[in-house]
Amino acid sequence: MKCKHFAYGFAEEVRRLNFGAVTPGYDFMKTLREGIESILPSDVHEIAENRLYVSVTNSKSGENHLVSNFASREDVIKVLLASSFIPVYAGIKPVEFKGQKWIDGGLTNGLPILPVGRTVTISPFSGRLDICPQDKGRVDLYVKLAKQDMMLSLANLVRLNQALFPPDQEKMESLYQNGFDDAVRFLLKENWFE
């Protein structure tokens, strides 16, 4: 509940700005950091160790890395911030972690598949994924972006706009419910949920 409350408040703050998150003087990453710090428990690094895999991109080499080892709570926070850093939108200065600068892993590998076990792929965009919106069109056209097959559709363009320029809370609640319904549909299909 705390996370959802933060997301709604953050979105409202961005909506009030003349140019959204790219409004001159607005510090997107500072607000995001404050929200993450208020939500994560003090032992999150122990809980997340080898259970949470975060995709980040080295800003210098352009190589994607999966981070799953965290020495401290601050490590988890920095990696989550890096995975949220879209250049220009979130700022100009990439996130520093372990002496290197990092940006969103979704730019190079939006849906990494782990080497062992089953990876459940999730996206807010319609495509060839386990959990995602199910757009129906006359023709199914897909484009591969950052190793992710996404459907070319007007609905996905609307979703991209909503990701960059958050809609009002009522619409966000509807999107939340849609995502929940998509997850339940997948779990039922896989017989993982009754």
Side-chain angles (χ1 to χ4, degrees):
M1 196 63 155
K2 203 174 190 181
C3 185
K4 190 162 69 167
H5 178 73
F6 166 72
Y8 290 157
F10 193 12
E12 178 62 33
E13 182 176 303
V14 170
R15 264 195 309 278
R16 283 194 306 253
L17 300 168
N18 289 336
F19 300 105
V22 295
T23 298
Y26 180 68
D27 194 341
F28 180 92
M29 296 304 284
K30 177 179 178 271
T31 304
L32 183 57
R33 174 182 263 283
E34 289 168 356
I36 291 172
E37 287 176 344
S38 75
I39 294 165
L40 296 182
S42 59
D43 63 345
V44 67
H45 57 292
E46 295 166 0
I47 296 167
E49 185 76 12
N50 291 316
R51 295 176 71 195
L52 173 68
Y53 290 78
V54 183
S55 178
V56 293
T57 302
N58 185 292
S59 66
K60 188 174 183 180
S61 70
E63 290 181 26
N64 184 273
H65 293 267
L66 280 181
V67 180
S68 63
N69 299 104
F70 310 99
S72 66
R73 181 176 188 263
E74 181 63 16
D75 276 4
V76 175
I77 291 169
K78 283 187 174 185
V79 169
L80 292 175
L81 289 170
S83 77
S84 303
F85 188 86
I86 298 171
V88 180
Y89 183 81
I92 297 172
K93 187 177 169 191
V95 176
E96 190 167 320
F97 172 68
K98 293 191 176 182
Q100 296 187 52
K101 298 198 187 293
W102 302 90
I103 60 175
D104 190 346
L107 300 172
T108 53
N109 188 355
L111 291 171
I113 304 299
L114 300 180
V116 294
R118 166 91 189 264
T119 302
V120 177
T121 56
I122 305 169
S123 177
F125 301 104
S126 182
R128 293 185 181 118
L129 306 143
D130 294 320
I131 301 173
C132 68
Q134 302 296 307
D135 292 345
K136 301 291 183 224
R138 291 183 187 164
V139 180
D140 289 349
L141 295 174
Y142 293 87
V143 62
K144 188 175 277 297
L145 293 172
K147 299 185 180 180
Q148 178 177 179
D149 287 332
M150 293 192 346
M151 181 180 270
L152 282 176
S153 69
L154 181 58
N156 270 347
L157 289 175
V158 169
R159 290 181 189 105
L160 177 61
N161 182 63
Q162 291 169 336
L164 298 174
F165 303 98
D168 63 33
Q169 185 169 330
E170 183 178 338
K171 179 61 179 174
M172 287 182 68
E173 288 170 354
S174 170
L175 293 170
Y176 171 82
Q177 186 61 50
N178 292 345
F180 180 85
D181 294 344
D182 292 336
V184 169
R185 186 174 23 261
F186 168 76
L187 293 171
L188 290 171
K189 184 182 93 176
E190 296 292 318
N191 291 318
W192 290 352
F193 181 68
E194 294 179 13

